[in-house]
Amino acid sequence: LRINRKKLAVLLIDKDMKVAQLVEKSGLARCTVSAVRGGKSCSPETARKLAEALGVDVTEILED
């Protein structure tokens, strides 16, 4: 799966959340979050954890 980088960035701003907070809330490694933000693909589990940490449905952050 690929996370839409723009949607992720907008959500971080909307939620007034720093990357470090996203890492903490999602329970993912910082390098994993950085890779996803850099455009790398991720597992469905990683996408779910990111969406959960942001309080959105996973479909809201996936690329179309």
Side-chain angles (χ1 to χ4, degrees), residues 27-39:
L28 296 166
R30 186 176 186 94
C31 60
T32 301
V33 175
S34 294
V36 168
R37 289 181 68 230

Side-chain angles (χ1 to χ4, degrees), residues 2-64:
R2 281 201 194 272
I3 303 297
N4 184 307
R5 293 163 66 189
K6 284 184 182 167
K7 289 179 184 176
L8 184 60
V10 168
L11 278 167
L12 283 170
I13 292 166
D14 287 350
K15 307 277 181 186
D16 194 27
M17 194 183 283
K18 301 266 183 264
V19 175
Q21 293 168 299
L22 179 60
V23 167
E24 194 175 307
K25 281 184 96 171
S26 66
L28 296 166
R30 186 176 186 94
C31 60
T32 301
V33 175
S34 294
V36 168
R37 289 181 68 230
K40 299 258 189 261
S41 59
C42 67
S43 70
E45 180 68 6
T46 296
R48 183 191 63 75
K49 286 180 178 181
L50 287 171
E52 223 168 69
L54 290 163
V56 298
D57 189 77
V58 73
T59 57
E60 289 185 48
I61 60 171
L62 294 178
E63 278 193 354
D64 298 326

